[in-house]
Amino acid sequence: MSERTPLLHYRLSTSVNEQSGEHQPCLPREAVEQSPAFSRRKSAHHSRPKKLSTFFGVVIPTLLSMFSVVVFLRIGFVVGQCGLYQAIAMFLVAYFIISMTVLSVCAISTNGALDAGGAYYMISRALGPEFGGSLGVMFFLANVCSSALYILGLVEAIVATFGLPEDGVSPAGSLQVLPAGYWWSLLYATGILLLCLLVCLVGAEIYAKASFIIFLVVMLVLATIFISFFAVRPRTILLPAAPPILNGTGPQPPTMANFTGFKLNTLLGNLDADYAVDYTTGTMMSFATVFAVMFNGCTGIMAGSNMSGDLKNPSYSIPRGTITAVIFTFIIYNLLSLMVACSCDRILLQRDYSFLRDINVWNPLVTVGVYSSTMSAAMSNLIGASRILYALARDDLFGTVLSPAKKTSGNGNPWVSVLLSWFLVQLVLFTGKLNTIASIVTIFFLLVYAAVDLACLALEWASAPNFRPTFRYFTWHTCVLGIVGCAVMMFLINSIYASASIAFMLLLLLLIHYLSPTSSWGYISQALIFHQVRKYLLMLDVRKDHVKFWRPQVLLMVSNPRSSVGLITFINDIKKSGLYVLGHVQLGDLDTLPSDPLQCRYDSWLSLVDHLNIKAFVNLTLADSVRHGVQHLLFISGLGGMRPNTLVLGFYDDCTPKDKLTDPALADATVPTQDPEDERPPYHFPALRVSIDGKEEGNGENGKVMGPQEYVAVIADAMKMMKNVALARYFHQFDRASTISSSPGKGALYVDVWPVNLLRPDSSSYVDTCSLFLLQLACVLNMVRAWRHARLRLFLCVEEGRSLRGSEGKLGQLLKELRIKANVYTVPWDQQVALHWQRQGEAGKRRPSRQSRREEEGLGKKGLFEEEEGDADYVNSFPSNATRLSDEYLSAVNRLILEQAHPPPAVRFLYLPRPPADTRRYTAYLRQLELLTKDLGPTLLIHGVTPVLTTDL
């Protein structure tokens, strides 16, 4: 992916110094990462020279890795088992799969500067650390197993040439002097691996030089092989000894086979498949097992990519070098298959994997070619594995587990990673046979190839403007074909190994997801999510909203999160999968500030969201007053059909705030520090400052950031904008964890609902919009898993002379039709109403009689949701005689509510009337709400302006 370019200047923002009021510079995360201090820590691995060209760094390693075992030791095996038709089909399928992957590799590698790690670097920077880390481990293991596979192939060739016969007697003048057997083969493999280790410890340059010499040898051997098919006369070849037949019965395997030269009969006999027992392992071959062995000759396409950290220009070299090597090997494989099928008996192909040596113009030359190519491939995979491990360690995805692998020598060679890779290859060598681990290696490589295709597909589908590779010969179709081809072949080869590999990868993915730190690479998932969310938001048409599908979409205004943890967690429960926005207003004027002071605060707020494990967005604004700031947020919060429909405010009172953010990591949520010498104070939420009289200090004259007049004006503004409003009081006493855990049995947790306007004792309507909104919110809370065992208690206030049972029955019928399960309690409040009417005289008594007639006559006739004209406005409005509501009446109603709290509820829902039209009475309105809710514990005063309930399907 593209590297960050240095900034021309720092992008600064400011934060208000809470003690002095001064504006201090605050660096956002991006500026920190691009600062010189931060870059010094990353400069070490960029400073070492990169000297390898396209030919030496990509073409030669890729060619040698792809030729290696298959071209010299298994080309006859493939044709002898599968026949020429299926062999060519196998090569076409294999090269189709790797060609799709090569196109993806070319696209990703030309989209920016590459670093060490090859395919791991591509995948991790495209798909993020989880996929990148897990697949990086898989790719590392694939290279480890592949290195062991090539070494075992070399040992097999050595034993076939120099190993003693089974009788232990070497013919006179023969070179067969080496002891044979499992432990001897393991010893030979260990010696070869040590030689590879020495070369890799010296570094990539000596490996490149050695590879070039090996490349010249392999090309010479290939030339003699093609010449031999024409120059060598037909001959009979002695076959290696076959494994003994059980019980000594049955036909004995042949001991001789023919090299016929080019003959039509030989070609016809090798066209069709004839699967037989593999004489090295004794297992029956099939299309899948042969393909697994053959595909190892195609897995070298990443050899050049693995050297990306040592190339002069990876973006230029990897596409050109890889494509050249793939085309060249495809031509050679198919030509060899055709010539072998035309000139060799089937028995020779099935029973002698070293037959190319026996038919060569000079036998030792093929042996040298086999040894050279397999040695080179083993070194290539060993050095590739070490580079991947080094890249994994440097990215700190596994914490301190891989930290030793970061160590490098003076010339930048990761010698610890080389040693660790060598140790794992040595463990794999204990398997003993090439064909035994071929399936595992092939499945690992197929999984990595599919991941590279997936990375390219994701980048293409995300439509990110910065994904513009210079290599354009790919589409999302090629990526999909590559993924499907890899997945199908994985399960065809061995479904058990394939399933186990995928399960192991997913386990690593989860491990990295939960344990690794957040990376700054960029996550393709975020780009894909953005792409899809934008599409679906455009489809979310507000004109199609329906009351059946209403859900609360909440904007919660937070002054300081330290004192609002209880309320934040409670509103998270009540949102019912709706939109949840944490809003905050910073007082200030952008004209007087050098930069936006809000930018560097987002990290702290997002850390708060993560710490509290809530599903919320964060929206901050700068305004000259809290009222204007809330108006801004109500106007602009959300997008399309996802906009807040409910405003929640903390209550305006004199309660002493309590700091609930005791986690120091969250209290000091910072951007990454630049350097140990950089002692810039960490940004954090301001501390709660309490004055001598116990009130929270602020910027206002009365010790608060706004006065009661402005607070009530915010409520009135929200209602004018057709937003539901909730005022939350005493939620500094609410602790979700203790509240939920303190209810051991069903019914031990209660939620009380008072759906009547207690500031209007002359009205007792339970079916207006606001009352039904209270019922809906209480029901939504009861549907949350943590609150599911809570019981709703609905309190019905009635006066003397009215039918208690009738009122209770009507309300019960309403709840039944609304499918709300709650216990209804009738509460006589004659004494409280009497206190009110003592102040009012006889003037206001006509209204209760009208309301009484409506309840006794109108409800049954009009229905549950119909009201007389003007009733809704009358009930919702602040009473015209507000100044006459006595403190005695409000205190009496407050005591009435407290008397019904046996046992006390976890939270109460009360009816919130509209503020008065006369702004001069805002202070009286707020005082009456304060008296009404005094000492009630966690309480929500709620006013609903939109219908939210329906009895229709």
Side-chain angles (χ1 to χ4, degrees), residues 889-916:
Y889 164 74
L890 294 169
S891 298
V893 174
N894 176 262
R895 288 192 299 272
L896 175 68
I897 297 174
L898 287 171
E899 289 169 359
Q900 307 303 316
H902 299 293
V907 64
R908 290 182 174 88
F909 288 9
L910 269 61
Y911 191 112
L912 174 68
R914 284 179 177 271

mmCIF file of all heavy atoms in Angstrom, residues 889-916:
data_model
loop_
_atom_site.group_PDB
_atom_site.id
_atom_site.type_symbol
_atom_site.label_atom_id
_atom_site.label_comp_id
_atom_site.label_asym_id
_atom_site.label_seq_id
_atom_site.Cartn_x
_atom_site.Cartn_y
_atom_site.Cartn_z
ATOM 1 N N TYR A 889 -48.417 21.152 47.317
ATOM 2 C CA TYR A 889 -48.979 20.160 46.407
ATOM 3 C C TYR A 889 -47.879 19.318 45.754
ATOM 4 O O TYR A 889 -47.948 18.087 45.712
ATOM 5 C CB TYR A 889 -49.809 20.855 45.324
ATOM 6 C CG TYR A 889 -50.114 19.958 44.135
ATOM 7 C CD1 TYR A 889 -51.058 18.936 44.227
ATOM 8 C CD2 TYR A 889 -49.428 20.115 42.922
ATOM 9 C CE1 TYR A 889 -51.319 18.102 43.146
ATOM 10 C CE2 TYR A 889 -49.686 19.289 41.838
ATOM 11 C CZ TYR A 889 -50.641 18.288 41.961
ATOM 12 O OH TYR A 889 -50.887 17.458 40.898
ATOM 13 N N LEU A 890 -46.818 19.983 45.256
ATOM 14 C CA LEU A 890 -45.748 19.264 44.590
ATOM 15 C C LEU A 890 -45.029 18.330 45.560
ATOM 16 O O LEU A 890 -44.680 17.198 45.217
ATOM 17 C CB LEU A 890 -44.758 20.247 43.982
ATOM 18 C CG LEU A 890 -45.316 21.108 42.832
ATOM 19 C CD1 LEU A 890 -44.353 22.217 42.473
ATOM 20 C CD2 LEU A 890 -45.612 20.251 41.617
ATOM 21 N N SER A 891 -44.821 18.791 46.798
ATOM 22 C CA SER A 891 -44.167 17.936 47.789
ATOM 23 C C SER A 891 -45.052 16.753 48.146
ATOM 24 O O SER A 891 -44.560 15.633 48.367
ATOM 25 C CB SER A 891 -43.839 18.746 49.048
ATOM 26 O OG SER A 891 -42.942 19.795 48.746
ATOM 27 N N ALA A 892 -46.363 16.991 48.168
ATOM 28 C CA ALA A 892 -47.283 15.896 48.480
ATOM 29 C C ALA A 892 -47.270 14.843 47.365
ATOM 30 O O ALA A 892 -47.288 13.630 47.639
ATOM 31 C CB ALA A 892 -48.696 16.448 48.688
ATOM 32 N N VAL A 893 -47.260 15.288 46.121
ATOM 33 C CA VAL A 893 -47.185 14.339 45.005
ATOM 34 C C VAL A 893 -45.855 13.589 45.049
ATOM 35 O O VAL A 893 -45.793 12.375 44.788
ATOM 36 C CB VAL A 893 -47.361 15.073 43.667
ATOM 37 C CG1 VAL A 893 -47.131 14.115 42.499
ATOM 38 C CG2 VAL A 893 -48.754 15.686 43.570
ATOM 39 N N ASN A 894 -44.788 14.297 45.395
ATOM 40 C CA ASN A 894 -43.480 13.653 45.519
ATOM 41 C C ASN A 894 -43.511 12.558 46.584
ATOM 42 O O ASN A 894 -42.984 11.454 46.379
ATOM 43 C CB ASN A 894 -42.436 14.717 45.858
ATOM 44 C CG ASN A 894 -41.056 14.134 46.102
ATOM 45 O OD1 ASN A 894 -40.673 13.920 47.247
ATOM 46 N ND2 ASN A 894 -40.316 13.881 45.035
ATOM 47 N N ARG A 895 -44.158 12.860 47.727
ATOM 48 C CA ARG A 895 -44.262 11.852 48.788
ATOM 49 C C ARG A 895 -45.128 10.676 48.343
ATOM 50 O O ARG A 895 -44.873 9.525 48.674
ATOM 51 C CB ARG A 895 -44.823 12.486 50.060
ATOM 52 C CG ARG A 895 -43.859 13.414 50.773
ATOM 53 C CD ARG A 895 -44.364 13.758 52.161
ATOM 54 N NE ARG A 895 -45.656 14.453 52.119
ATOM 55 C CZ ARG A 895 -45.802 15.766 52.005
ATOM 56 N NH1 ARG A 895 -44.706 16.537 51.943
ATOM 57 N NH2 ARG A 895 -46.983 16.317 51.955
ATOM 58 N N LEU A 896 -46.188 10.996 47.564
ATOM 59 C CA LEU A 896 -47.064 9.935 47.062
ATOM 60 C C LEU A 896 -46.266 8.943 46.203
ATOM 61 O O LEU A 896 -46.427 7.728 46.317
ATOM 62 C CB LEU A 896 -48.199 10.558 46.240
ATOM 63 C CG LEU A 896 -49.143 9.574 45.534
ATOM 64 C CD1 LEU A 896 -49.967 8.807 46.556
ATOM 65 C CD2 LEU A 896 -50.051 10.323 44.565
ATOM 66 N N ILE A 897 -45.401 9.488 45.344
ATOM 67 C CA ILE A 897 -44.589 8.608 44.503
ATOM 68 C C ILE A 897 -43.648 7.766 45.349
ATOM 69 O O ILE A 897 -43.479 6.552 45.116
ATOM 70 C CB ILE A 897 -43.800 9.454 43.477
ATOM 71 C CG1 ILE A 897 -44.758 10.185 42.526
ATOM 72 C CG2 ILE A 897 -42.831 8.579 42.676
ATOM 73 C CD1 ILE A 897 -44.072 11.155 41.588
ATOM 74 N N LEU A 898 -43.031 8.381 46.350
ATOM 75 C CA LEU A 898 -42.106 7.649 47.212
ATOM 76 C C LEU A 898 -42.825 6.562 48.006
ATOM 77 O O LEU A 898 -42.264 5.487 48.258
ATOM 78 C CB LEU A 898 -41.397 8.614 48.164
ATOM 79 C CG LEU A 898 -40.320 9.520 47.543
ATOM 80 C CD1 LEU A 898 -39.848 10.564 48.540
ATOM 81 C CD2 LEU A 898 -39.152 8.679 47.060
ATOM 82 N N GLU A 899 -44.087 6.829 48.398
ATOM 83 C CA GLU A 899 -44.827 5.844 49.198
ATOM 84 C C GLU A 899 -45.164 4.589 48.409
ATOM 85 O O GLU A 899 -45.374 3.519 48.995
ATOM 86 C CB GLU A 899 -46.121 6.474 49.722
ATOM 87 C CG GLU A 899 -45.889 7.517 50.792
ATOM 88 C CD GLU A 899 -47.164 8.309 51.100
ATOM 89 O OE1 GLU A 899 -48.202 8.014 50.433
ATOM 90 O OE2 GLU A 899 -47.126 9.215 51.944
ATOM 91 N N GLN A 900 -45.210 4.707 47.085
ATOM 92 C CA GLN A 900 -45.547 3.539 46.266
ATOM 93 C C GLN A 900 -44.310 2.687 45.931
ATOM 94 O O GLN A 900 -44.446 1.651 45.278
ATOM 95 C CB GLN A 900 -46.193 3.996 44.942
ATOM 96 C CG GLN A 900 -47.374 4.927 45.117
ATOM 97 C CD GLN A 900 -48.463 4.311 45.977
ATOM 98 O OE1 GLN A 900 -48.811 3.130 45.817
ATOM 99 N NE2 GLN A 900 -49.027 5.106 46.894
ATOM 100 N N ALA A 901 -43.142 3.134 46.388
ATOM 101 C CA ALA A 901 -41.894 2.460 46.003
ATOM 102 C C ALA A 901 -41.545 1.366 47.005
ATOM 103 O O ALA A 901 -40.612 1.503 47.791
ATOM 104 C CB ALA A 901 -40.774 3.481 45.907
ATOM 105 N N HIS A 902 -42.327 0.307 47.004
ATOM 106 C CA HIS A 902 -42.051 -0.846 47.877
ATOM 107 C C HIS A 902 -42.160 -2.120 47.037
ATOM 108 O O HIS A 902 -43.272 -2.532 46.704
ATOM 109 C CB HIS A 902 -43.043 -0.876 49.047
ATOM 110 C CG HIS A 902 -42.976 0.329 49.918
ATOM 111 N ND1 HIS A 902 -41.893 0.636 50.710
ATOM 112 C CD2 HIS A 902 -43.886 1.339 50.099
ATOM 113 C CE1 HIS A 902 -42.132 1.765 51.357
ATOM 114 N NE2 HIS A 902 -43.338 2.212 50.998
ATOM 115 N N PRO A 903 -41.053 -2.779 46.694
ATOM 116 C CA PRO A 903 -39.678 -2.308 46.901
ATOM 117 C C PRO A 903 -39.324 -1.190 45.948
ATOM 118 O O PRO A 903 -40.008 -0.986 44.944
ATOM 119 C CB PRO A 903 -38.850 -3.560 46.628
ATOM 120 C CG PRO A 903 -39.677 -4.350 45.694
ATOM 121 C CD PRO A 903 -41.100 -4.109 46.069
ATOM 122 N N PRO A 904 -38.253 -0.427 46.218
ATOM 123 C CA PRO A 904 -37.910 0.723 45.366
ATOM 124 C C PRO A 904 -37.528 0.269 43.957
ATOM 125 O O PRO A 904 -36.895 -0.773 43.786
ATOM 126 C CB PRO A 904 -36.717 1.359 46.098
ATOM 127 C CG PRO A 904 -36.153 0.276 46.947
ATOM 128 C CD PRO A 904 -37.316 -0.579 47.349
ATOM 129 N N PRO A 905 -37.918 1.041 42.948
ATOM 130 C CA PRO A 905 -37.610 0.652 41.564
ATOM 131 C C PRO A 905 -36.170 1.013 41.196
ATOM 132 O O PRO A 905 -35.511 1.819 41.849
ATOM 133 C CB PRO A 905 -38.599 1.475 40.751
ATOM 134 C CG PRO A 905 -38.787 2.724 41.561
ATOM 135 C CD PRO A 905 -38.695 2.291 43.005
ATOM 136 N N ALA A 906 -35.693 0.399 40.120
ATOM 137 C CA ALA A 906 -34.368 0.750 39.589
ATOM 138 C C ALA A 906 -34.406 2.091 38.884
ATOM 139 O O ALA A 906 -33.428 2.845 38.906
ATOM 140 C CB ALA A 906 -33.888 -0.331 38.630
ATOM 141 N N VAL A 907 -35.544 2.419 38.258
ATOM 142 C CA VAL A 907 -35.681 3.679 37.534
ATOM 143 C C VAL A 907 -37.172 4.009 37.452
ATOM 144 O O VAL A 907 -38.032 3.112 37.462
ATOM 145 C CB VAL A 907 -35.045 3.574 36.121
ATOM 146 C CG1 VAL A 907 -35.781 2.562 35.269
ATOM 147 C CG2 VAL A 907 -34.987 4.925 35.415
ATOM 148 N N ARG A 908 -37.476 5.316 37.420
ATOM 149 C CA ARG A 908 -38.861 5.776 37.273
ATOM 150 C C ARG A 908 -39.011 6.555 35.971
ATOM 151 O O ARG A 908 -38.108 7.293 35.570
ATOM 152 C CB ARG A 908 -39.265 6.675 38.443
ATOM 153 C CG ARG A 908 -39.430 5.964 39.766
ATOM 154 C CD ARG A 908 -39.888 6.974 40.817
ATOM 155 N NE ARG A 908 -40.201 6.331 42.073
ATOM 156 C CZ ARG A 908 -39.312 6.102 43.042
ATOM 157 N NH1 ARG A 908 -38.051 6.456 42.865
ATOM 158 N NH2 ARG A 908 -39.675 5.526 44.170
ATOM 159 N N PHE A 909 -40.173 6.387 35.324
ATOM 160 C CA PHE A 909 -40.524 7.163 34.144
ATOM 161 C C PHE A 909 -41.684 8.074 34.526
ATOM 162 O O PHE A 909 -42.761 7.587 34.904
ATOM 163 C CB PHE A 909 -40.949 6.254 32.991
ATOM 164 C CG PHE A 909 -39.817 5.481 32.367
ATOM 165 C CD1 PHE A 909 -38.558 5.459 32.931
ATOM 166 C CD2 PHE A 909 -39.998 4.781 31.185
ATOM 167 C CE1 PHE A 909 -37.519 4.756 32.358
ATOM 168 C CE2 PHE A 909 -38.965 4.074 30.599
ATOM 169 C CZ PHE A 909 -37.722 4.057 31.190
ATOM 170 N N LEU A 910 -41.493 9.388 34.409
ATOM 171 C CA LEU A 910 -42.534 10.355 34.738
ATOM 172 C C LEU A 910 -42.877 11.196 33.520
ATOM 173 O O LEU A 910 -42.065 11.331 32.590
ATOM 174 C CB LEU A 910 -42.069 11.273 35.883
ATOM 175 C CG LEU A 910 -42.408 10.836 37.309
ATOM 176 C CD1 LEU A 910 -41.773 9.506 37.638
ATOM 177 C CD2 LEU A 910 -41.981 11.902 38.320
ATOM 178 N N TYR A 911 -44.048 11.759 33.564
ATOM 179 C CA TYR A 911 -44.583 12.580 32.476
ATOM 180 C C TYR A 911 -43.951 13.971 32.551
ATOM 181 O O TYR A 911 -43.956 14.612 33.586
ATOM 182 C CB TYR A 911 -46.094 12.663 32.652
ATOM 183 C CG TYR A 911 -46.892 13.250 31.516
ATOM 184 C CD1 TYR A 911 -47.759 12.461 30.768
ATOM 185 C CD2 TYR A 911 -46.830 14.616 31.208
ATOM 186 C CE1 TYR A 911 -48.522 13.010 29.741
ATOM 187 C CE2 TYR A 911 -47.571 15.163 30.193
ATOM 188 C CZ TYR A 911 -48.420 14.358 29.457
ATOM 189 O OH TYR A 911 -49.184 14.893 28.457
ATOM 190 N N LEU A 912 -43.421 14.435 31.426
ATOM 191 C CA LEU A 912 -42.856 15.782 31.345
ATOM 192 C C LEU A 912 -43.776 16.670 30.526
ATOM 193 O O LEU A 912 -43.940 16.443 29.318
ATOM 194 C CB LEU A 912 -41.472 15.725 30.691
ATOM 195 C CG LEU A 912 -40.802 17.085 30.404
ATOM 196 C CD1 LEU A 912 -40.418 17.780 31.704
ATOM 197 C CD2 LEU A 912 -39.576 16.909 29.510
ATOM 198 N N PRO A 913 -44.392 17.679 31.132
ATOM 199 C CA PRO A 913 -45.243 18.585 30.345
ATOM 200 C C PRO A 913 -44.404 19.555 29.530
ATOM 201 O O PRO A 913 -43.202 19.720 29.754
ATOM 202 C CB PRO A 913 -46.051 19.319 31.412
ATOM 203 C CG PRO A 913 -45.182 19.279 32.632
ATOM 204 C CD PRO A 913 -44.395 18.003 32.565
ATOM 205 N N ARG A 914 -45.059 20.208 28.568
ATOM 206 C CA ARG A 914 -44.361 21.203 27.759
ATOM 207 C C ARG A 914 -43.973 22.401 28.633
ATOM 208 O O ARG A 914 -44.669 22.735 29.578
ATOM 209 C CB ARG A 914 -45.254 21.698 26.627
ATOM 210 C CG ARG A 914 -45.415 20.740 25.478
ATOM 211 C CD ARG A 914 -46.343 21.351 24.433
ATOM 212 N NE ARG A 914 -46.477 20.479 23.269
ATOM 213 C CZ ARG A 914 -45.687 20.515 22.216
ATOM 214 N NH1 ARG A 914 -44.679 21.389 22.182
ATOM 215 N NH2 ARG A 914 -45.863 19.707 21.199
ATOM 216 N N PRO A 915 -42.889 23.085 28.276
ATOM 217 C CA PRO A 915 -42.581 24.349 28.967
ATOM 218 C C PRO A 915 -43.644 25.393 28.654
ATOM 219 O O PRO A 915 -44.327 25.320 27.628
ATOM 220 C CB PRO A 915 -41.226 24.740 28.388
ATOM 221 C CG PRO A 915 -40.674 23.497 27.768
ATOM 222 C CD PRO A 915 -41.852 22.700 27.318
ATOM 223 N N PRO A 916 -43.814 26.380 29.523
ATOM 224 C CA PRO A 916 -44.833 27.419 29.266
ATOM 225 C C PRO A 916 -44.462 28.270 28.064
ATOM 226 O O PRO A 916 -43.275 28.397 27.704
ATOM 227 C CB PRO A 916 -44.821 28.230 30.559
ATOM 228 C CG PRO A 916 -43.478 27.994 31.152
ATOM 229 C CD PRO A 916 -43.099 26.590 30.775
#
